[in-house]
Amino acid sequence: MGAFEGVATNIQAQVGAGEVIFSCGFSMFNANPTNYPNGDVVFWEKNGQYAESADDTFYSCKSGALDEDGLLVGAYTMLWANPTRPQIIRFCPIFLSHIATQRWSSSLQVDPEWLVDIPPEAAATLAKEGATPVDLYGLLELAALHELTHTRDGGSTHDYPSPISDQVGGAGWGYATSIEGDAYDNAESVAFMGLLSKLVQLGFKVDKNGNLNPIAVSGKRSLVNRFLFDMNG
């Protein structure tokens, strides 16, 4: 994952049509936005190749302020009608700062067996946040999956309102499983499908409450699970 600044000097020449770029900062923009007669307010990239609307999503991501829906934006995806333009996924500084302070920044660092028996202190944190054990597992890659599903090649998914909340979009197992008829087109639901596939590969299933349970294995063990299960059983 690299900063967008090194590519932004000439988008059309350096980036192929439809490519996805991960951006982690705002240093590529001019300091002040441009105000247009029609009311649009736009921040331009310093070399004039790329512009972004100065809306509440932009400012929430940049400064950590709440957007108009009362949400703190952690990441978002930008697409253009022109398919020759790159697709940009921005991870906001406050989100990356949060990830950096975690004991684990990636699920590859987490022992799946630990998640089956959640320590009391972690359980208290989950309860306070209205989260579940599987929410501890996704971290950065779940957010990346969520945003990638918004891209054209990823399916151009949407963020649907939850029936248990007035907010559009959201994160976490509780939100993802609350979307029913539109789950196939809901970014967080699709992202969790990818994460669950990984957990199944590791030998775990997730119940409706977000708890992880070992998958009972009988007969010959698969090579995928050879590090978790006795190959001689």
Side-chain angles (χ1 to χ4, degrees), residues 185-232:
D185 188 39
N186 185 59
E188 189 76 351
S189 303
V190 176
F192 263 104
M193 288 177 63
L195 179 60
L196 294 181
S197 297
K198 178 178 181 179
L199 291 174
V200 168
Q201 187 182 55
L202 291 173
F204 290 85
K205 60 183 178 180
V206 180
D207 66 21
K208 65 179 182 180
N209 297 315
N211 298 305
L212 281 79
N213 300 285
I215 296 175
V217 177
S218 60
K220 185 177 180 180
R221 271 60 171 175
S222 70
L223 291 178
V224 170
N225 292 325
R226 62 182 174 181
F227 297 114
L228 296 178
F229 300 105
D230 180 10
M231 291 290 291
N232 299 316

Side-chain angles (χ1 to χ4, degrees), residues 57-135:
T57 297
F58 178 93
Y59 284 113
S60 176
C61 183
K62 185 175 182 180
S63 66
L66 298 180
D67 68 4
E68 62 183 8
D69 295 315
L71 300 173
L72 180 62
V73 177
Y76 59 94
T77 301
M78 291 171 287
L79 306 176
W80 284 272
N82 184 348
T84 65
R85 288 275 187 170
Q87 303 164 91
I88 298 177
I89 293 176
R90 188 185 302 286
F91 285 114
C92 306
I94 193 169
F95 173 73
L96 293 176
S97 297
H98 169 72
I99 291 294
T101 60
Q102 302 304 300
R103 183 176 179 184
W104 300 283
S105 60
S106 165
S107 64
L108 295 177
Q109 300 170 280
V110 181
D111 181 353
E113 294 183 1
W114 181 88
L115 293 174
V116 176
D117 185 17
I118 299 294
E121 60 272 22
T125 300
L126 289 173
K128 180 180 178 181
E129 299 295 329
T132 70
V134 73
D135 289 311

Side-chain angles (χ1 to χ4, degrees), residues 32-69:
N32 299 310
T34 301
N35 294 274
Y36 292 91
N38 65 356
D40 290 343
V41 183
V42 173
F43 275 100
W44 280 92
E45 184 266 332
K46 292 175 182 177
N47 291 295
Q49 299 293 315
Y50 161 61
E52 185 172 339
S53 297
D55 56 14
D56 66 319
T57 297
F58 178 93
Y59 284 113
S60 176
C61 183
K62 185 175 182 180
S63 66
L66 298 180
D67 68 4
E68 62 183 8
D69 295 315

